[in-house]
Amino acid sequence: MPPARTAAPALTLTFDNGPEPSVTPAVLDVLGRHGIASTFFVIGQKLLDPQARACAEQAHARGHWIGNHTWTHSGPLGERPGDATARLEIDRTQAEIGALAHRPPLFRPTGGGGHLDRRLLSAEAAARLQAGGYTCVLWNAIPRDWREPDAWVDTALAQLAAQPWSLMVLHDLPTGAMRHLDRFLTEAARRGCRFRQDFPPDCLPITAGQITGPLADFVTSSGPAPAS
Ligand SMILES: [Zn+2]
């Protein structure tokens, strides 16, 4: 028997922590040249800068989705419990996103370096997301472009090859990493990668306010999570 053909990997791209007027427009241009639609998970308070706001508007106009990545990005919400914090980080950001919001609204928790564990959400934050009808978007590929602004491309290609559908976190930040975005996308396409904008269901513990995954694995039940 011939060996089974390996299906071409799929890739959903997301860009966190922007918008950054010095970086995001170039990212949009590269994505446009490749015909790729993605999601930008923006930091709410950055939108107060009119130039940053214009970047988000341009992304939205080009068909990218705009998601909520907290107001201050000052640490995983599971380590910062309380309803007031949840309302500031989630609700205020969504209000600032305003007309650029995706339906259902999209929220990505801050991972404090990429941790996928109970530090991600407080009980109050999880409740806000459900009550607000949010889809909570985690990830399964994080090539740490902010730490390795040159080497991340090789990491990303390896992660892409290791699973059928990658939901990848990159950052439109001035680290220099995005200089390599075009090279990464060219190589991914050469390897047969299919780009898509929607999210792998197993990365969504909440979908439009409904629990659709192991949400408890991502919520600090009481007090700060123990150090690991
Ligand atoms: Zn982030």
Side-chain angles (χ1 to χ4, degrees):
M1 269 175 64
R5 268 190 78 199
T6 307
L11 174 59
T12 299
L13 282 174
T14 59
F15 296 89
D16 288 10
N17 293 25
E20 285 285 341
S22 67
V23 180
T24 309
V27 168
L28 290 173
D29 285 348
V30 171
L31 294 173
R33 283 205 298 279
H34 287 266
I36 295 170
S38 68
T39 300
F40 287 82
F41 286 97
V42 300
I43 295 176
Q45 64 183 359
K46 286 193 174 182
L47 294 176
L48 297 175
D49 170 6
Q51 283 189 300
R53 172 101 200 161
C55 293
E57 289 174 350
Q58 193 179 36
H60 180 260
R62 293 188 186 189
H64 303 285
W65 295 342
I66 306 299
N68 178 332
H69 192 43
T70 76
W71 183 260
T72 66
H73 202 277
S74 47
L77 287 172
E79 296 176 347
R80 299 159 58 228
D83 194 54
T85 298
R87 286 177 187 271
L88 166 70
E89 299 289 0
I90 299 171
D91 298 26
R92 186 169 179 194
T93 299
Q94 202 62 31
E96 195 66 34
I97 290 171
L100 305 180
H102 186 65
R103 288 287 172 261
L106 305 173
F107 178 79
R108 169 166 281 160
T110 55
H115 306 298
L116 267 178
D117 60 25
R118 292 191 173 201
R119 282 171 281 192
L120 284 185
L121 295 171
S122 64
E124 294 86 357
R128 298 296 313 149
L129 296 177
Q130 292 172 78
Y134 285 83
T135 293
C136 181
V137 183
L138 303 182
W139 56 86
N140 62 19
I142 188 158
R144 306 178 86 77
D145 57 303
W146 73 97
R147 288 251 175 90
E148 303 279 351
D150 297 312
W152 71 268
V153 172
D154 291 335
T155 306
L157 290 168
Q159 291 177 346
L160 189 57
Q163 56 191 354
W165 187 358
S166 291
L167 172 45
M168 186 172 287
V169 179
L170 297 174
H171 296 82
D172 48 333
L173 285 173
T175 61
M178 291 301 96
R179 287 178 309 194
H180 304 297
L181 181 62
D182 183 61
R183 179 163 65 85
F184 167 59
L185 298 178
T186 299
E187 181 60 22
R190 194 187 68 78
R191 297 182 184 194
C193 175
R194 294 173 296 116
F195 296 96
R196 49 194 300 178
Q197 192 172 19
D198 58 339
F199 309 111
D202 59 2
C203 290
L204 307 177
I206 304 173
T207 303
Q210 304 300 310
I211 295 176
T212 48
L215 179 62
D217 290 353
F218 307 112
V219 179
T220 301
S221 48
S222 62
S228 54

